[in-house]
Amino acid sequence: MLRRPTALPSLLLVLLAALSFSAPRSLHGQALPIATRTADISVFGGFATGLPDYGPYRNNGGSFGVNFTRYLHLPVAPSIEARANFLNGKTVNERTYLFGVRAQGDLFTRLHPYANFLIGPGDIHFNFFNNGYVGDNSTVYSIGGGADYDIARHWQAKVDFQYQHWKTGNNVTYTPTLTVIGVAYRIPFRPHFRQGEIRH
């Protein structure tokens, strides 16, 4: 069994601080009303790697998902998110299908940090003979965060980290971690104009 990560509290503090101090960008200096985002849907996918908390080897695979974000002119934008993670390794394979909430901030013009909390079912399969114990399942809780970085009009680069908590039917607890490096494609809803926001 691998030791549980100890850097999680520090990572979450950094993410929460970034979200707390980020604020909506104010716009100045134009004589026309400006368009503001109302909502968007983002589809993402990427390479996932992590520690399964079982055996000495890393697991590798993919992560795919979608989130719906509403922009309410607040320091953070709330989202709902669904994602699936598929990781394979020499000792175990792990599958998770998660749904939950996300809070996104706009720290800089192109950088969008976020934190999320997800929950859903997970399956674990053991890749060796274990006295007939070939697999199990669990309700999985996942907490983490990351950042999206604008690289084109609708495209973003994505990096995030997730810490999971499993408790299988034989009453064994696992705490896998995974890191995702990928891309997201953002589909914005048609912007509307706010007459109160007039640039000078």
Side-chain angles (χ1 to χ4, degrees), residues 143-196:
I143 187 170
D148 295 330
Y149 183 81
D150 299 335
I151 55 177
R153 183 177 180 185
H154 296 292
W155 290 94
Q156 297 173 313
K158 171 184 288 290
V159 176
D160 82 8
F161 174 86
Q162 301 292 313
Y163 173 88
Q164 298 178 350
H165 182 275
W166 299 51
K167 190 171 184 179
T168 58
N170 63 347
N171 221 24
V172 174
T173 297
Y174 301 103
T175 55
T177 60
L178 64 147
T179 300
V180 178
I181 301 173
V183 295
Y185 183 77
R186 186 169 53 84
I187 307 168
F189 283 69
R190 179 177 298 178
H192 67 276
F193 291 92
R194 296 198 303 164
Q195 296 297 326

Short mmCIF file of all heavy atoms in Angstrom, two decimals, residues 143-196:
data_model
loop_
_atom_site.label_atom_id
_atom_site.label_comp_id
_atom_site.label_asym_id
_atom_site.label_seq_id
_atom_site.Cartn_x
_atom_site.Cartn_y
_atom_site.Cartn_z
N ILE A 143 -12.29 15.39 -4.37
CA ILE A 143 -12.12 16.82 -4.16
C ILE A 143 -10.82 17.25 -4.84
O ILE A 143 -9.84 16.50 -4.86
CB ILE A 143 -12.09 17.18 -2.66
CG1 ILE A 143 -12.07 18.70 -2.47
CG2 ILE A 143 -10.93 16.51 -1.94
CD1 ILE A 143 -12.28 19.14 -1.03
N GLY A 144 -10.82 18.41 -5.44
CA GLY A 144 -9.61 18.84 -6.13
C GLY A 144 -9.80 20.18 -6.81
O GLY A 144 -10.67 20.98 -6.44
N GLY A 145 -9.01 20.40 -7.81
CA GLY A 145 -9.08 21.66 -8.53
C GLY A 145 -7.99 21.75 -9.57
O GLY A 145 -7.19 20.83 -9.75
N GLY A 146 -7.98 22.86 -10.27
CA GLY A 146 -7.00 23.05 -11.33
C GLY A 146 -7.18 24.40 -11.98
O GLY A 146 -7.68 25.34 -11.36
N ALA A 147 -6.83 24.47 -13.27
CA ALA A 147 -6.93 25.74 -13.99
C ALA A 147 -7.10 25.46 -15.47
O ALA A 147 -6.53 24.50 -16.02
CB ALA A 147 -5.71 26.60 -13.75
N ASP A 148 -7.90 26.30 -16.12
CA ASP A 148 -8.02 26.32 -17.58
C ASP A 148 -7.33 27.58 -18.09
O ASP A 148 -7.46 28.66 -17.48
CB ASP A 148 -9.48 26.34 -18.01
CG ASP A 148 -10.22 25.07 -17.63
OD1 ASP A 148 -9.56 24.01 -17.56
OD2 ASP A 148 -11.44 25.12 -17.41
N TYR A 149 -6.60 27.45 -19.20
CA TYR A 149 -5.87 28.59 -19.77
C TYR A 149 -6.29 28.76 -21.22
O TYR A 149 -6.20 27.82 -22.03
CB TYR A 149 -4.37 28.35 -19.68
CG TYR A 149 -3.54 29.53 -20.17
CD1 TYR A 149 -3.31 30.63 -19.35
CD2 TYR A 149 -3.01 29.54 -21.45
CE1 TYR A 149 -2.58 31.70 -19.79
CE2 TYR A 149 -2.28 30.62 -21.91
CZ TYR A 149 -2.06 31.70 -21.08
OH TYR A 149 -1.35 32.77 -21.53
N ASP A 150 -6.78 29.95 -21.58
CA ASP A 150 -7.24 30.23 -22.94
C ASP A 150 -6.09 30.19 -23.92
O ASP A 150 -5.10 30.92 -23.76
CB ASP A 150 -7.91 31.61 -23.00
CG ASP A 150 -9.14 31.72 -22.11
OD1 ASP A 150 -9.75 30.68 -21.83
OD2 ASP A 150 -9.47 32.85 -21.70
N ILE A 151 -6.19 29.35 -24.95
CA ILE A 151 -5.16 29.27 -25.98
C ILE A 151 -5.69 29.67 -27.36
O ILE A 151 -4.91 29.91 -28.27
CB ILE A 151 -4.54 27.86 -26.04
CG1 ILE A 151 -5.62 26.80 -26.25
CG2 ILE A 151 -3.73 27.57 -24.78
CD1 ILE A 151 -5.06 25.38 -26.39
N ALA A 152 -7.00 29.72 -27.52
CA ALA A 152 -7.63 30.15 -28.77
C ALA A 152 -9.03 30.61 -28.41
O ALA A 152 -9.42 30.61 -27.24
CB ALA A 152 -7.64 29.02 -29.80
N ARG A 153 -9.81 30.98 -29.42
CA ARG A 153 -11.12 31.57 -29.14
C ARG A 153 -12.00 30.66 -28.29
O ARG A 153 -12.64 31.10 -27.34
CB ARG A 153 -11.83 31.89 -30.46
CG ARG A 153 -13.18 32.57 -30.26
CD ARG A 153 -13.82 32.93 -31.56
NE ARG A 153 -15.11 33.57 -31.37
CZ ARG A 153 -15.93 33.92 -32.35
NH1 ARG A 153 -15.57 33.70 -33.60
NH2 ARG A 153 -17.09 34.49 -32.08
N HIS A 154 -12.08 29.38 -28.62
CA HIS A 154 -12.93 28.46 -27.88
C HIS A 154 -12.14 27.35 -27.18
O HIS A 154 -12.74 26.51 -26.51
CB HIS A 154 -13.96 27.81 -28.81
CG HIS A 154 -14.94 28.78 -29.40
ND1 HIS A 154 -15.89 29.44 -28.65
CD2 HIS A 154 -15.10 29.22 -30.67
CE1 HIS A 154 -16.62 30.22 -29.43
NE2 HIS A 154 -16.15 30.11 -30.67
N TRP A 155 -10.83 27.34 -27.35
CA TRP A 155 -10.00 26.25 -26.82
C TRP A 155 -9.23 26.67 -25.58
O TRP A 155 -8.75 27.80 -25.50
CB TRP A 155 -9.03 25.75 -27.88
CG TRP A 155 -9.69 25.03 -29.00
CD1 TRP A 155 -10.11 25.56 -30.20
CD2 TRP A 155 -10.04 23.64 -29.04
NE1 TRP A 155 -10.68 24.59 -30.98
CE2 TRP A 155 -10.66 23.40 -30.30
CE3 TRP A 155 -9.88 22.59 -28.14
CZ2 TRP A 155 -11.11 22.15 -30.67
CZ3 TRP A 155 -10.34 21.33 -28.51
CH2 TRP A 155 -10.95 21.11 -29.76
N GLN A 156 -9.12 25.75 -24.63
CA GLN A 156 -8.36 25.98 -23.41
C GLN A 156 -7.47 24.78 -23.10
O GLN A 156 -7.84 23.64 -23.39
CB GLN A 156 -9.30 26.21 -22.22
CG GLN A 156 -10.19 27.43 -22.34
CD GLN A 156 -11.20 27.50 -21.21
OE1 GLN A 156 -11.86 26.52 -20.89
NE2 GLN A 156 -11.32 28.65 -20.58
N ALA A 157 -6.30 25.04 -22.55
CA ALA A 157 -5.47 23.99 -21.98
C ALA A 157 -5.92 23.77 -20.53
O ALA A 157 -6.28 24.72 -19.84
CB ALA A 157 -4.00 24.37 -22.03
N LYS A 158 -5.89 22.51 -20.09
CA LYS A 158 -6.40 22.17 -18.75
C LYS A 158 -5.37 21.36 -17.98
O LYS A 158 -4.76 20.43 -18.52
CB LYS A 158 -7.70 21.38 -18.86
CG LYS A 158 -8.20 20.78 -17.55
CD LYS A 158 -9.43 19.93 -17.72
CE LYS A 158 -10.64 20.78 -18.00
NZ LYS A 158 -11.06 21.56 -16.81
N VAL A 159 -5.20 21.70 -16.70
CA VAL A 159 -4.43 20.89 -15.77
C VAL A 159 -5.23 20.81 -14.47
O VAL A 159 -5.66 21.85 -13.95
CB VAL A 159 -3.03 21.48 -15.48
CG1 VAL A 159 -2.31 20.65 -14.44
CG2 VAL A 159 -2.21 21.56 -16.76
N ASP A 160 -5.45 19.61 -13.96
CA ASP A 160 -6.09 19.54 -12.64
C ASP A 160 -5.64 18.31 -11.86
O ASP A 160 -5.01 17.39 -12.39
CB ASP A 160 -7.62 19.68 -12.73
CG ASP A 160 -8.37 18.42 -13.10
OD1 ASP A 160 -7.79 17.33 -13.16
OD2 ASP A 160 -9.60 18.54 -13.31
N PHE A 161 -5.95 18.36 -10.56
CA PHE A 161 -5.54 17.33 -9.61
C PHE A 161 -6.78 16.90 -8.83
O PHE A 161 -7.58 17.75 -8.41
CB PHE A 161 -4.48 17.88 -8.65
CG PHE A 161 -4.11 16.93 -7.54
CD1 PHE A 161 -3.13 15.97 -7.74
CD2 PHE A 161 -4.72 17.01 -6.31
CE1 PHE A 161 -2.77 15.09 -6.72
CE2 PHE A 161 -4.39 16.14 -5.28
CZ PHE A 161 -3.40 15.17 -5.49
N GLN A 162 -6.94 15.59 -8.64
CA GLN A 162 -8.08 15.07 -7.90
C GLN A 162 -7.62 14.10 -6.81
O GLN A 162 -6.73 13.27 -7.05
CB GLN A 162 -9.05 14.34 -8.84
CG GLN A 162 -9.60 15.19 -9.97
CD GLN A 162 -10.53 16.28 -9.48
OE1 GLN A 162 -11.43 16.01 -8.67
NE2 GLN A 162 -10.34 17.49 -9.97
N TYR A 163 -8.21 14.23 -5.64
CA TYR A 163 -7.96 13.33 -4.51
C TYR A 163 -9.26 12.58 -4.25
O TYR A 163 -10.31 13.20 -4.01
CB TYR A 163 -7.54 14.15 -3.29
CG TYR A 163 -7.42 13.36 -2.00
CD1 TYR A 163 -6.22 12.74 -1.67
CD2 TYR A 163 -8.49 13.25 -1.13
CE1 TYR A 163 -6.10 12.02 -0.48
CE2 TYR A 163 -8.39 12.54 0.05
CZ TYR A 163 -7.19 11.93 0.37
OH TYR A 163 -7.08 11.22 1.54
N GLN A 164 -9.23 11.25 -4.32
CA GLN A 164 -10.44 10.44 -4.20
C GLN A 164 -10.44 9.63 -2.90
O GLN A 164 -9.38 9.28 -2.38
CB GLN A 164 -10.56 9.48 -5.39
CG GLN A 164 -10.69 10.18 -6.72
CD GLN A 164 -10.76 9.19 -7.88
OE1 GLN A 164 -10.53 7.99 -7.72
NE2 GLN A 164 -11.11 9.70 -9.05
N HIS A 165 -11.65 9.33 -2.46
CA HIS A 165 -11.82 8.49 -1.27
C HIS A 165 -12.77 7.36 -1.63
O HIS A 165 -13.92 7.60 -2.02
CB HIS A 165 -12.38 9.30 -0.10
CG HIS A 165 -12.53 8.51 1.17
ND1 HIS A 165 -13.63 7.74 1.44
CD2 HIS A 165 -11.68 8.35 2.24
CE1 HIS A 165 -13.49 7.16 2.62
NE2 HIS A 165 -12.33 7.51 3.12
N TRP A 166 -12.27 6.11 -1.53
CA TRP A 166 -13.06 4.91 -1.79
C TRP A 166 -13.23 4.12 -0.48
O TRP A 166 -12.33 4.10 0.35
CB TRP A 166 -12.35 3.98 -2.77
CG TRP A 166 -12.07 4.50 -4.15
CD1 TRP A 166 -11.45 5.66 -4.50
CD2 TRP A 166 -12.35 3.81 -5.37
NE1 TRP A 166 -11.32 5.75 -5.85
CE2 TRP A 166 -11.87 4.63 -6.42
CE3 TRP A 166 -12.94 2.59 -5.68
CZ2 TRP A 166 -11.98 4.25 -7.76
CZ3 TRP A 166 -13.06 2.22 -7.00
CH2 TRP A 166 -12.59 3.04 -8.03
N LYS A 167 -14.37 3.43 -0.36
CA LYS A 167 -14.54 2.44 0.71
C LYS A 167 -15.31 1.27 0.10
O LYS A 167 -16.51 1.36 -0.14
CB LYS A 167 -15.29 3.02 1.91
CG LYS A 167 -15.28 2.07 3.11
CD LYS A 167 -15.82 2.75 4.35
CE LYS A 167 -15.72 1.83 5.57
NZ LYS A 167 -16.23 2.49 6.79
N THR A 168 -14.60 0.17 -0.17
CA THR A 168 -15.17 -0.94 -0.92
C THR A 168 -16.03 -1.82 -0.03
O THR A 168 -16.09 -1.65 1.19
CB THR A 168 -14.05 -1.77 -1.56
OG1 THR A 168 -13.16 -2.23 -0.54
CG2 THR A 168 -13.26 -0.94 -2.56
N GLY A 169 -16.67 -2.82 -0.66
CA GLY A 169 -17.60 -3.68 0.06
C GLY A 169 -16.94 -4.51 1.13
O GLY A 169 -17.62 -4.94 2.07
N ASN A 170 -15.64 -4.78 1.01
CA ASN A 170 -14.97 -5.55 2.06
C ASN A 170 -14.39 -4.62 3.14
O ASN A 170 -13.51 -5.00 3.89
CB ASN A 170 -13.87 -6.43 1.47
CG ASN A 170 -12.77 -5.62 0.81
OD1 ASN A 170 -12.93 -4.42 0.59
ND2 ASN A 170 -11.66 -6.26 0.49
N ASN A 171 -14.88 -3.37 3.16
CA ASN A 171 -14.55 -2.39 4.21
C ASN A 171 -13.10 -1.93 4.17
O ASN A 171 -12.53 -1.56 5.19
CB ASN A 171 -14.87 -2.96 5.60
CG ASN A 171 -15.51 -1.91 6.50
OD1 ASN A 171 -16.11 -0.96 6.01
ND2 ASN A 171 -15.38 -2.10 7.80
N VAL A 172 -12.51 -1.92 2.97
CA VAL A 172 -11.15 -1.42 2.78
C VAL A 172 -11.23 -0.02 2.17
O VAL A 172 -12.00 0.22 1.23
CB VAL A 172 -10.32 -2.35 1.88
CG1 VAL A 172 -8.95 -1.74 1.58
CG2 VAL A 172 -10.18 -3.71 2.51
N THR A 173 -10.44 0.91 2.69
CA THR A 173 -10.41 2.29 2.20
C THR A 173 -9.22 2.50 1.28
O THR A 173 -8.10 2.10 1.60
CB THR A 173 -10.34 3.27 3.38
OG1 THR A 173 -11.52 3.14 4.18
CG2 THR A 173 -10.24 4.71 2.88
N TYR A 174 -9.47 3.13 0.13
CA TYR A 174 -8.42 3.52 -0.81
C TYR A 174 -8.52 5.02 -1.03
O TYR A 174 -9.61 5.60 -1.03
CB TYR A 174 -8.58 2.81 -2.16
CG TYR A 174 -8.53 1.30 -2.08
CD1 TYR A 174 -9.70 0.55 -2.16
CD2 TYR A 174 -7.32 0.63 -1.92
CE1 TYR A 174 -9.66 -0.84 -2.09
CE2 TYR A 174 -7.28 -0.76 -1.85
CZ TYR A 174 -8.45 -1.48 -1.93
OH TYR A 174 -8.41 -2.85 -1.86
N THR A 175 -7.37 5.66 -1.22
CA THR A 175 -7.34 7.10 -1.49
C THR A 175 -6.46 7.38 -2.71
O THR A 175 -5.35 7.89 -2.58
CB THR A 175 -6.83 7.89 -0.26
OG1 THR A 175 -5.54 7.38 0.12
CG2 THR A 175 -7.79 7.78 0.90
N PRO A 176 -6.95 7.04 -3.90
CA PRO A 176 -6.18 7.31 -5.10
C PRO A 176 -6.07 8.80 -5.38
O PRO A 176 -6.91 9.61 -4.95
CB PRO A 176 -6.99 6.62 -6.22
CG PRO A 176 -7.97 5.75 -5.52
CD PRO A 176 -8.22 6.37 -4.18
N THR A 177 -5.03 9.19 -6.10
CA THR A 177 -4.88 10.56 -6.60
C THR A 177 -4.63 10.49 -8.10
O THR A 177 -4.06 9.52 -8.60
CB THR A 177 -3.71 11.29 -5.93
OG1 THR A 177 -2.49 10.59 -6.20
CG2 THR A 177 -3.92 11.38 -4.42
N LEU A 178 -5.07 11.52 -8.81
CA LEU A 178 -4.79 11.56 -10.24
C LEU A 178 -4.62 12.99 -10.71
O LEU A 178 -5.21 13.93 -10.17
CB LEU A 178 -5.88 10.86 -11.05
CG LEU A 178 -7.29 11.42 -11.04
CD1 LEU A 178 -7.97 11.19 -12.37
CD2 LEU A 178 -8.12 10.75 -9.94
N THR A 179 -3.78 13.13 -11.73
CA THR A 179 -3.53 14.41 -12.37
C THR A 179 -3.96 14.29 -13.83
O THR A 179 -3.67 13.29 -14.49
CB THR A 179 -2.04 14.78 -12.30
OG1 THR A 179 -1.65 14.86 -10.92
CG2 THR A 179 -1.78 16.12 -12.97
N VAL A 180 -4.65 15.32 -14.32
CA VAL A 180 -5.14 15.33 -15.70
C VAL A 180 -4.50 16.49 -16.44
O VAL A 180 -4.48 17.63 -15.95
CB VAL A 180 -6.68 15.46 -15.74
CG1 VAL A 180 -7.17 15.52 -17.18
CG2 VAL A 180 -7.34 14.32 -15.00
N ILE A 181 -3.99 16.20 -17.63
CA ILE A 181 -3.45 17.22 -18.53
C ILE A 181 -4.19 17.08 -19.84
O ILE A 181 -4.15 16.01 -20.47
CB ILE A 181 -1.93 17.05 -18.74
CG1 ILE A 181 -1.19 17.13 -17.41
CG2 ILE A 181 -1.40 18.10 -19.72
CD1 ILE A 181 0.28 16.81 -17.51
N GLY A 182 -4.92 18.13 -20.25
CA GLY A 182 -5.73 17.98 -21.44
C GLY A 182 -6.16 19.30 -22.04
O GLY A 182 -5.53 20.34 -21.82
N VAL A 183 -7.24 19.25 -22.79
CA VAL A 183 -7.79 20.43 -23.45
C VAL A 183 -9.29 20.48 -23.20
O VAL A 183 -9.93 19.46 -22.91
CB VAL A 183 -7.51 20.43 -24.97
CG1 VAL A 183 -6.01 20.54 -25.24
CG2 VAL A 183 -8.09 19.19 -25.64
N ALA A 184 -9.85 21.67 -23.33
CA ALA A 184 -11.30 21.88 -23.20
C ALA A 184 -11.78 22.72 -24.37
O ALA A 184 -11.06 23.63 -24.83
CB ALA A 184 -11.63 22.57 -21.88
N TYR A 185 -12.97 22.42 -24.85
CA TYR A 185 -13.61 23.22 -25.90
C TYR A 185 -14.84 23.88 -25.30
O TYR A 185 -15.76 23.21 -24.82
CB TYR A 185 -14.00 22.34 -27.09
CG TYR A 185 -14.60 23.13 -28.23
CD1 TYR A 185 -13.79 23.87 -29.09
CD2 TYR A 185 -15.99 23.16 -28.44
CE1 TYR A 185 -14.33 24.60 -30.13
CE2 TYR A 185 -16.54 23.89 -29.48
CZ TYR A 185 -15.70 24.60 -30.32
OH TYR A 185 -16.23 25.34 -31.35
N ARG A 186 -14.83 25.20 -25.29
CA ARG A 186 -15.89 25.97 -24.63
C ARG A 186 -16.90 26.46 -25.65
O ARG A 186 -16.54 27.04 -26.68
CB ARG A 186 -15.28 27.16 -23.87
CG ARG A 186 -16.26 27.95 -23.04
CD ARG A 186 -15.53 28.91 -22.12
NE ARG A 186 -14.61 29.76 -22.86
CZ ARG A 186 -14.97 30.89 -23.48
NH1 ARG A 186 -16.22 31.28 -23.43
NH2 ARG A 186 -14.08 31.60 -24.12
N ILE A 187 -18.19 26.19 -25.37
CA ILE A 187 -19.29 26.61 -26.25
C ILE A 187 -20.07 27.69 -25.52
O ILE A 187 -20.87 27.40 -24.63
CB ILE A 187 -20.21 25.42 -26.57
CG1 ILE A 187 -19.38 24.25 -27.12
CG2 ILE A 187 -21.29 25.83 -27.56
CD1 ILE A 187 -20.15 22.95 -27.21
N PRO A 188 -19.84 28.98 -25.83
CA PRO A 188 -20.53 30.05 -25.10
C PRO A 188 -21.97 30.23 -25.58
O PRO A 188 -22.28 30.01 -26.75
CB PRO A 188 -19.69 31.29 -25.41
CG PRO A 188 -19.08 31.00 -26.74
CD PRO A 188 -18.88 29.50 -26.81
N PHE A 189 -22.84 30.60 -24.64
CA PHE A 189 -24.17 31.01 -25.02
C PHE A 189 -24.08 32.42 -25.62
O PHE A 189 -23.15 33.17 -25.34
CB PHE A 189 -25.10 31.00 -23.80
CG PHE A 189 -25.56 29.62 -23.41
CD1 PHE A 189 -24.65 28.71 -22.88
CD2 PHE A 189 -26.87 29.23 -23.58
CE1 PHE A 189 -25.06 27.43 -22.52
CE2 PHE A 189 -27.29 27.96 -23.22
CZ PHE A 189 -26.38 27.06 -22.69
N ARG A 190 -25.05 32.78 -26.43
CA ARG A 190 -25.02 34.09 -27.07
C ARG A 190 -24.95 35.18 -26.01
O ARG A 190 -25.78 35.23 -25.11
CB ARG A 190 -26.25 34.30 -27.94
CG ARG A 190 -26.29 35.67 -28.63
CD ARG A 190 -27.51 35.80 -29.52
NE ARG A 190 -27.48 34.81 -30.60
CZ ARG A 190 -28.45 34.69 -31.50
NH1 ARG A 190 -29.52 35.47 -31.44
NH2 ARG A 190 -28.35 33.76 -32.45
N PRO A 191 -23.96 36.09 -26.07
CA PRO A 191 -23.85 37.15 -25.06
C PRO A 191 -24.96 38.18 -25.21
O PRO A 191 -25.54 38.34 -26.28
CB PRO A 191 -22.48 37.79 -25.36
CG PRO A 191 -22.25 37.51 -26.80
CD PRO A 191 -22.89 36.17 -27.08
N HIS A 192 -25.28 38.84 -24.11
CA HIS A 192 -26.24 39.93 -24.15
C HIS A 192 -25.53 41.22 -23.77
O HIS A 192 -24.41 41.21 -23.26
CB HIS A 192 -27.42 39.66 -23.21
CG HIS A 192 -27.07 39.68 -21.76
ND1 HIS A 192 -26.56 38.58 -21.12
CD2 HIS A 192 -27.12 40.67 -20.84
CE1 HIS A 192 -26.32 38.88 -19.85
NE2 HIS A 192 -26.64 40.13 -19.66
N PHE A 193 -26.15 42.36 -24.03
CA PHE A 193 -25.56 43.66 -23.73
C PHE A 193 -26.19 44.24 -22.48
O PHE A 193 -27.42 44.24 -22.34
CB PHE A 193 -25.75 44.61 -24.91
CG PHE A 193 -24.95 44.25 -26.11
CD1 PHE A 193 -25.49 43.44 -27.11
CD2 PHE A 193 -23.64 44.68 -26.26
CE1 PHE A 193 -24.74 43.08 -28.21
CE2 PHE A 193 -22.89 44.33 -27.36
CZ PHE A 193 -23.44 43.54 -28.34
N ARG A 194 -25.35 44.73 -21.58
CA ARG A 194 -25.83 45.39 -20.37
C ARG A 194 -25.66 46.89 -20.58
O ARG A 194 -24.55 47.40 -20.69
CB ARG A 194 -25.04 44.92 -19.15
CG ARG A 194 -25.25 43.45 -18.87
CD ARG A 194 -24.85 43.11 -17.46
NE ARG A 194 -23.46 43.48 -17.19
CZ ARG A 194 -22.96 43.58 -15.98
NH1 ARG A 194 -23.72 43.39 -14.93
NH2 ARG A 194 -21.68 43.90 -15.80
N GLN A 195 -26.77 47.63 -20.62
CA GLN A 195 -26.72 49.04 -20.91
C GLN A 195 -26.02 49.83 -19.81
O GLN A 195 -25.51 50.91 -20.04
CB GLN A 195 -28.16 49.58 -21.09
CG GLN A 195 -28.88 48.96 -22.29
CD GLN A 195 -28.18 49.31 -23.60
OE1 GLN A 195 -27.62 50.39 -23.73
NE2 GLN A 195 -28.21 48.40 -24.55
N GLY A 196 -25.97 49.28 -18.59
CA GLY A 196 -25.30 49.99 -17.51
C GLY A 196 -23.80 49.99 -17.63
O GLY A 196 -23.13 50.76 -16.95
#
